[in-house]
Amino acid sequence: MAETVQSLEGLAALKPETPEAPKYVQKLDKQGRAYATGKRKNAVARVWIKPGAGVITVNTKPVETFFARPVLRMMIQQPLVAANRQGQYDVVCTVSGGGLSGQAGAVRHGISKALTYFEPDLRSPLKRGGFLTRDPRVVERKKYGRAKARRSFQFSKR
């Protein structure tokens, strides 16, 4: 049977311990790289980061040739800038599916996750910037009886 507590000190002793916040550990492969998968729309990016001179390679091409638009290159750099680590990591990634902006978003998501695996202390600034959240917006499916997802066929009276 449960014993009866006679004083407030005894009541405090019965209180269960509060669990500590989970400690994140470094996850590296045999070559000393951190690996993560990033996703956005239909694009999937596999990202490896390791300490280096800040070279970013996408599908064996330099980032300047793969992502020609400056906005997409800036988007990829955002997690490194938020963590104050630009020019300190070499990034190698393979990306497939989707269009260019979806692929850039997938690479950004992958770099953010890989940074947290390499340096778990960077989790809070990256989470604050919203880089660790996978954007759930995808293209809506086409429904039967409709021209597209929501558009109806043209109405004709006769």
Side-chain angles (χ1 to χ4, degrees), residues 28-143:
L28 300 179
D29 61 5
K30 292 174 185 162
Q31 286 91 15
R33 305 174 300 182
Y35 168 78
T37 306
K39 294 182 180 182
R40 168 85 166 90
K41 293 187 176 180
N42 277 339
V44 179
R46 301 184 304 157
V47 179
W48 292 268
I49 65 165
K50 62 180 179 181
V55 179
I56 299 177
T57 310
V58 182
N59 289 357
T60 67
K61 295 179 186 173
V63 71
E64 290 80 17
T65 58
F66 194 86
F67 293 114
R69 280 189 278 166
V71 174
L72 299 179
R73 288 200 300 268
M74 182 264 305
M75 203 167 135
I76 290 171
Q77 290 284 342
Q78 280 178 335
L80 296 167
V81 171
N84 203 15
R85 298 286 189 274
Q86 60 266 40
Q88 296 182 19
Y89 289 105
D90 287 343
V91 178
V92 177
C93 58
T94 59
V95 64
S96 63
L100 278 179
S101 97
Q103 288 182 346
V107 171
R108 180 177 85 165
H109 186 226
I111 288 174
S112 306
K113 283 171 64 176
L115 274 173
T116 60
Y117 294 152
F118 204 94
E119 289 186 59
D121 298 336
L122 294 178
R123 184 170 173 84
S124 61
L126 291 174
K127 189 127 176 97
R128 207 174 311 116
F131 301 120
L132 296 177
T133 307
R134 193 252 198 246
D135 192 352
R137 295 176 296 171
V138 291
V139 176
E140 191 175 345
R141 77 172 192 88
K142 184 197 175 301
K143 279 78 169 188

Side-chain angles (χ1 to χ4, degrees), residues 8-21:
L8 290 174
E9 289 80 28
L11 189 63
L14 289 177
K15 184 179 167 189
E17 295 180 22
T18 56
E20 288 186 26

